[in-house]
Amino acid sequence: MKRERSADALPLLGALRFPGMLYASTIRSTVPRAQHVEIRHPELPPGYRCIAPADMLAENACLALPDGIPVFACGAVAYAGEALGLIVGPDAAICDELARGTEAAYEEEDPEFEWESFSSSQIAFRCSTEFGDVDQAFDTCQNIDRAVYRNGIFDHHYSEPMGAIANWEYDKLAIYCASQWPSHVRRSVAAALNASEEDIVVRPTELGRALDGRLWFPSVVAAQAGIAAKLCRKPVRILYTREEDYLRTPKQARSAITVKTAIDDQGRLLALDARIIINIGAYNPMAEELIHQAMAAITGIYRCPAVRIEAYAIRSNIIPLGAMGSIGSTHAFFSIEAHLNHLAKKLGKAPAEVKALNILAKGSSNFGSKPLDYEIPFAKIHRKLEKISDYRRKYASYELVKKRDPGSREGVIRGIALTVGYQTGRSFSQRGPSSSYSVETTLERDLRLIIKTQAAIGSESLKAMWRNTAAGILSIPEQNISFERPDSDAVAGGGPLTLSRGSSLVTKLIDRTCRSIQKRRFRESLPLSAKAQTKALKAVEASGAPALGAQLFDSASWCGTAVEIEVDALSGDPKPIAVWMVVEAGKIVDENMARASLRASAISALSLCTRGDFDPHGGEGEQYLYERRLGLAELPFIGIEFIDADRSVVPRGLGELPFITVPAAFYSALTQALGIDPRQLPLGGSEILKLLEAQ
Amino acid sequence: MIIDFNVNGEMKHLQVRSGDRLVDVLRDRLSIESLLPDCLSGRCGRCFIFLDGRLVHSCLLPAFKAKGTRIVTFEGIAGSPEVAEIEEALRQAGALPCPFCRTAKIMAIVDLLDRHPLPDEAVALEQLDMVSCACTDPASLVKAVGLAADARSRRKFNRANQ
């Protein structure tokens, strides 16, 4: 009885079986910080084995990956739940039981949980930049405001729990896993085994919806599986349970961003001084990229003549934390948008008025970079958004209700806000999202079309859109088209593959290769192949500080989001009533598919705003996990409109746009509804009730 | 203990332990690949089976509970006109579930249409909420449920061409 799969579907990791395959369960630390770990496992039945760091040393394997991430905690434990070793054997349930019964002896140390005020030893990465005379601007200005904005931890809830299978295939070790960064998996497994990268092949399994939750951690699990396979000389599978995955794998990072501004009487920004602190948990190899993306987004889409940014990635003894949806920029964008709303309120103006006053105009620039060579479509998006959401009337009505009866919790507590943001196609380091993609398309004699791309295809809608594009050009039935994701042997290294940024580039490449085949089709004999590759965008990188500024907007997509919410007066629960989005993302190949993708991301982004914070010290997980998603019956109306791109007909990424704009708009709507400025997300019912009672 | 039960029309005779979950027995011992043990807490819906005609989470049932029952998995209904109609409706509505939840969503819709031939949006959303996967736009899924319901009623009343 086979699971019915489409022809181009990759295998699901949980469904893969190999002859003689062993199962591995992870032995985990129970303390957040310790030295000198010693594992004491119960007596193991025949056929079972405990794999610990000592075995790795005996096999000349490496204890740490190239990024310095330990394969197993050996000399030191950095967080509660860190992998100490594996119990490997033929029955998964018995392995689980043995792993649970295994104890460890440690020399415990005081854990570092504090991160907003940190010690120098906790700094994983630091970066600062300054442009213009910030001190003078603050010295001469009367209107100075300072506020701290905080973001919580959030789970990605991707399609399949983390895992990997290591299987011997002739002279190579094949690693099966779902990773957004296969070249990193290959490099990590090779390093862990002290082997050549050529001896390792990474075979991708179905990725599903990853939301940047599978950037680098699959490499650690793959290295553990690789070591177990090497020591046991058999295929080994590690597959976390959903609860284990929820409690022990990386989440969206927590941040505290201090924004200090100087403005003139009209509300024009004169200076901005920002201090960004991102808690990366025990470790994160992408800390540099996270910090640079946050720094780039802190000025939002606004012009400021004097800017100083100081940013820190801080280690603490909790699970690794990192990217989600948009790497680092959500935090910063939320902070600047919330701060401008606060300034507008202080000046007695509408937020949109203050934002329009500060918008980066064509020819202007931040950080002394090259001037912006086109007009940001702020006004166009804003006008359309106001119209479709009935923003002006609703905003005025809710303000009026609040003024008539301030502090009242009777009746309806509602708010509406809108915000305009962008998704950049740029990365800031070699660890930033890859912009180099390739596509090889082959039209076979029987008119089957095979599209080979290394892009992390996480959505069936995207495949459908690509099928539609190719079928239209070549006039073949859509069911004749299948996709292949090449093994790591066939793909060059590079940065991680984030779907949203890659999808638009791959669409373009599929279009190009299909047109090339179509041109030659009736002159040359089948099969015909065509290859195309994007030129990698140079990382916007300099030594130390990233070169920020207008080049961020070169390949940007734009989105305006309006969110209307209602707060339950009794429970405090914020309920989104409606979300409207106006998107300018270049050529939209299939509007229905793009809408479906934006809606799905908007729902995830709304869940991120409304559900309580993940507690890294919490216990039982699965219950929290499922409570942190908005139920389908709770979903608001989501209306999406596209506006024509003036600049080009090239499709650009749009999947990250809701993660950037929805939290900022949601928060602003909440501040209007509540009449208070809590300066944090997420905000659940209990937090809101506490705030209202304090008010 | 030894249990006898019917799976997709075939009688099975298996020895199970008291702690075995039904999903593990069906998947690992009978190779039913449409079942994906994921949350193991009755929330994700990826282990849906029809047990004596009722849609249940097989991860919540001990294997011995299957004794004397009739189990139908996705494989048992895969070739049916009901599933073909749902798949076509999903395609038409642009609702394309990921490979992890596709069978679970189809099972949930089959069960819904068996109980509510013309479900309204709220009932459809409540049923679809049993499959906790955020891969698909809910509005498209509701549209697909409507299309599948129409197709089923047309077939039932012999009005295929209308």
Side-chain angles (χ1 to χ4, degrees):
Chain A
M1 294 185 203
K2 290 279 172 199
R3 186 180 175 84
E4 201 177 284
R5 314 288 313 280
S6 59
D8 51 51
L10 292 170
L12 311 187
L13 188 75
L16 278 174
R17 300 278 189 283
F18 294 100
M21 187 169 83
L22 302 177
Y23 300 86
S25 295
T26 311
I27 304 163
R28 297 188 179 278
S29 72
T30 50
V31 296
R33 191 174 176 193
Q35 298 280 348
H36 306 115
V37 187
E38 194 188 320
I39 296 174
R40 294 167 186 164
H41 58 77
E43 195 178 332
L44 300 177
Y48 290 81
R49 172 174 188 169
C50 176
I51 291 173
D55 299 303
M56 294 168 62
L57 288 172
E59 274 286 329
N60 198 26
C62 285
L63 292 169
L65 302 182
D67 304 295
I69 300 166
V71 181
F72 295 114
C74 176
V77 170
Y79 66 97
E82 189 170 7
L84 303 177
L86 299 172
I87 297 285
V88 186
D91 187 314
I94 294 173
C95 288
D96 280 346
E97 208 172 298
L98 290 168
R100 274 198 301 272
T102 300
E103 289 176 356
Y106 324 84
E107 277 177 29
E108 282 191 55
E109 293 182 342
D110 287 338
E112 293 276 12
F113 293 135
E114 184 51 49
W115 57 281
E116 285 193 46
S117 53
F118 50 86
S119 64
S120 57
S121 62
Q122 285 178 268
I123 301 173
F125 182 73
R126 177 185 182 278
C127 188
S128 60
T129 190
E130 187 167 348
F131 178 76
D133 198 337
V134 180
D135 289 328
Q136 200 207 351
F138 280 111
D139 287 345
T140 54
C141 181
Q142 299 298 312
N143 290 334
I144 296 175
D145 263 281
R146 184 181 173 281
V148 186
Y149 299 91
R150 292 181 174 86
N151 265 283
I153 302 176
F154 201 76
D155 182 63
H156 302 85
H157 193 60
Y158 32 69
S159 303
E160 190 179 35
M162 205 66 82
I165 296 176
N167 181 37
W168 293 102
E169 292 180 3
Y170 300 104
D171 56 341
K172 292 196 176 195
L173 183 66
I175 301 289
Y176 291 80
C177 75
S179 167
Q180 289 175 260
W181 200 354
S183 62
H184 191 260
V185 173
R186 192 184 197 194
R187 201 163 58 239
S188 300
V189 176
L193 298 177
N194 253 334
S196 156
E197 279 190 39
E198 282 161 16
D199 295 334
I200 313 293
V201 57
V202 179
R203 303 203 190 287
T205 59
E206 192 69 51
L207 186 64
R209 207 159 172 267
L211 295 177
D212 295 345
R214 290 181 176 271
L215 289 172
W216 61 272
F217 199 75
S219 305
V220 180
V221 183
Q224 292 168 353
I227 286 163
K230 188 179 179 190
L231 291 170
C232 300
R233 313 208 180 279
K234 281 189 174 177
V236 173
R237 182 183 93 172
I238 300 175
L239 184 60
Y240 289 2
T241 62
R242 185 56 84 171
E243 184 176 359
E244 191 180 16
D245 186 278
Y246 179 62
L247 291 171
R248 310 298 181 208
T249 61
K251 310 271 169 275
Q252 176 190 257
R254 181 174 270 175
S255 71
I257 299 180
T258 308
V259 181
K260 185 179 164 191
T261 50
I263 52 166
D264 67 13
D265 295 340
Q266 298 302 308
R268 274 188 205 90
L269 281 169
L270 301 174
L272 185 146
D273 187 357
R275 190 167 191 259
I276 301 168
I277 304 172
I278 296 183
N279 181 355
I280 59 162
Y283 38 69
N284 189 318
M286 296 187 70
E288 189 182 336
E289 183 68 18
L290 272 171
I291 287 293
H292 287 167
Q293 292 273 1
M295 288 173 79
I298 194 66
T299 48
I301 55 172
Y302 309 107
R303 201 184 74 81
C304 190
V307 182
R308 179 164 52 213
I309 311 171
E310 202 175 25
Y312 299 88
I314 299 300
R315 284 194 209 95
S316 61
N317 294 116
I318 58 172
I319 49 164
L321 303 172
M324 175 161 181
S326 63
I327 301 174
S329 41
T330 301
H331 308 260
F333 194 75
F334 153 67
S335 307
I336 188 67
E337 286 292 310
H339 196 71
L340 283 185
N341 281 348
H342 162 71
L343 296 179
K345 195 176 163 191
K346 204 174 151 193
L347 292 168
K349 293 187 170 189
E353 201 183 331
V354 173
K355 287 176 189 175
L357 202 63
N358 285 295
I359 205 83
L360 260 173
K362 187 177 178 181
S364 62
S365 71
N366 273 342
F367 306 101
S369 62
K370 72 164 184 149
L372 189 65
D373 59 2
Y374 66 94
E375 206 73 60
I376 288 179
F378 178 83
K380 198 160 64 168
I381 289 176
H382 214 277
R383 268 198 305 275
K384 182 126 190 165
L385 206 50
E386 278 186 349
K387 196 176 160 195
I388 61 172
S389 64
D390 194 12
Y391 171 78
R392 280 174 185 260
R393 187 187 64 80
K394 287 177 179 170
Y395 181 83
S397 310
Y398 299 151
E399 282 294 297
L400 198 64
V401 168
K402 219 164 51 183
K403 275 179 196 157
R404 270 192 194 157
D405 201 359
S408 167
R409 284 169 59 186
E410 296 292 323
V412 180
I413 310 173
R414 280 191 178 185
I416 186 167
L418 52 82
T419 189
V420 177
Y422 68 95
Q423 173 184 329
T424 179
R426 291 281 181 173
S427 58
F428 295 89
S429 66
Q430 294 311 316
R431 297 184 164 276
S434 176
S435 55
S436 173
Y437 287 86
S438 62
V439 166
E440 184 181 346
T441 307
T442 307
L443 185 64
E444 302 284 0
R445 282 201 183 89
D446 55 1
L447 293 185
R448 276 187 311 112
L449 186 79
I450 298 163
I451 299 172
K452 215 181 244 193
T453 173
Q454 89 274 35
I457 311 170
S459 130
E460 292 300 302
S461 315
L462 197 62
K463 281 186 199 166
M465 185 179 83
W466 288 340
R467 264 195 203 100
N468 180 280
T469 305
I473 295 168
L474 295 168
S475 305
I476 56 172
E478 283 186 28
Q479 58 267 31
N480 281 17
I481 300 167
S482 59
F483 294 90
E484 277 182 20
R485 209 172 155 202
D487 296 336
S488 58
D489 278 351
V491 178
L497 306 161
T498 55
L499 178 68
S500 168
R501 292 161 197 238
S503 58
S504 55
L505 298 172
V506 174
T507 307
K508 204 166 74 176
L509 296 179
I510 289 173
D511 184 276
R512 199 189 299 166
T513 52
C514 288
R515 285 185 196 286
S516 159
I517 290 175
Q518 181 67 4
K519 267 187 197 163
R520 294 182 285 142
R521 187 174 168 187
F522 299 106
R523 280 179 278 156
E524 296 172 32
S525 61
L526 293 175
L528 283 173
S529 285
K531 277 186 193 174
Q533 191 166 2
T534 55
K535 211 162 77 178
L537 284 172
K538 207 176 156 197
V540 188
E541 183 179 37
S543 56
L548 309 171
Q551 61 265 54
L552 283 174
F553 305 125
D554 284 352
S555 52
S557 308
W558 296 90
C559 174
T561 297
V563 175
E564 186 180 4
I565 64 150
E566 183 176 311
V567 179
D568 186 311
L570 285 177
S571 68
D573 285 334
K575 185 187 172 205
I577 303 170
V579 176
W580 296 269
M581 302 176 85
V582 174
V583 176
E584 195 264 71
K587 182 182 169 189
I588 303 295
V589 179
D590 184 324
E591 282 202 9
N592 286 335
M593 296 293 176
R595 273 199 186 94
S597 161
L598 284 164
R599 269 198 209 113
S601 294
I603 292 164
S604 296
L606 282 171
S607 301
L608 191 147
C609 304
T610 53
R611 293 313 197 225
D613 202 356
F614 171 88
D615 177 9
H617 314 296
E620 301 304 307
E622 76 203 27
Q623 176 185 339
Y624 299 140
L625 166 67
Y626 289 96
E627 281 173 6
R628 271 170 169 69
R629 288 187 57 250
L630 280 174
L632 295 186
E634 300 171 81
L635 295 179
F637 162 82
I638 302 177
I640 295 163
E641 295 214 8
F642 297 99
I643 54 172
D644 294 335
D646 291 337
R647 288 180 287 145
S648 70
V649 288
V650 178
R652 296 190 295 273
L654 48 71
E656 290 174 11
L657 288 167
F659 289 100
I660 294 163
T661 55
V662 169
F666 175 89
Y667 176 79
S668 304
L670 198 64
T671 54
Q672 194 201 14
L674 300 176
I676 49 175
D677 201 358
R679 292 171 184 160
Q680 70 178 69
L681 273 181
L683 275 169
S686 53
E687 289 100 337
I688 289 175
L689 275 188
K690 273 183 214 157
L691 289 166
L692 286 173
E693 271 151 27
Q695 187 190 23
Chain B
M1 73 191 75
I2 292 172
I3 57 167
D4 292 296
F5 58 116
N6 183 306
V7 180
N8 296 330
E10 284 178 36
M11 281 310 292
K12 301 290 174 188
H13 183 77
L14 287 181
Q15 178 143 23
V16 295
R17 290 175 295 192
S18 57
D20 287 347
R21 290 174 195 265
L22 181 56
V23 64
D24 296 331
V25 169
L26 292 172
R27 184 172 173 89
D28 296 340
R29 311 226 346 237
L30 300 180
S31 302
I32 295 178
E33 292 190 7
S34 66
L35 301 170
L36 287 176
D38 190 314
C39 71
L40 303 178
S41 60
R43 291 164 191 258
C44 73
R46 294 179 187 181
C47 62
F48 274 151
I49 56 168
F50 286 106
L51 185 88
D52 288 335
R54 285 175 55 217
L55 188 70
V56 296
H57 295 94
S58 57
C59 71
L60 295 181
L61 290 173
F64 61 78
K65 278 274 189 186
K67 189 178 179 184
T69 61
R70 189 176 157 269
I71 290 172
V72 178
T73 67
F74 180 77
E75 286 83 347
I77 55 169
S80 67
E82 286 84 359
V83 170
E85 283 158 4
I86 292 168
E87 285 183 327
E88 177 57 20
L90 287 168
R91 199 188 60 74
Q92 278 181 26
L96 302 169
C98 69
F100 297 96
C101 71
R102 181 178 151 269
T103 55
K105 280 188 174 138
I106 292 174
M107 294 278 277
I109 298 173
V110 168
D111 176 61
L112 172 70
L113 297 182
D114 284 348
R115 291 184 293 111
H116 301 273
L118 289 170
D120 62 22
E121 188 181 328
V123 173
L125 283 172
E126 194 183 329
Q127 179 82 357
L128 291 165
D129 216 7
M130 290 164 65
V131 185
S132 174
C133 183
C135 66
T136 322
D137 167 30
S140 315
L141 281 173
V142 171
K143 192 175 163 193
V145 169
L147 291 170
D150 285 350
R152 185 183 276 206
S153 62
R154 277 203 304 273
R155 178 172 50 82
K156 226 171 169 179
F157 297 106
N158 249 342
R159 291 188 293 174
N161 297 325
Q162 287 175 36

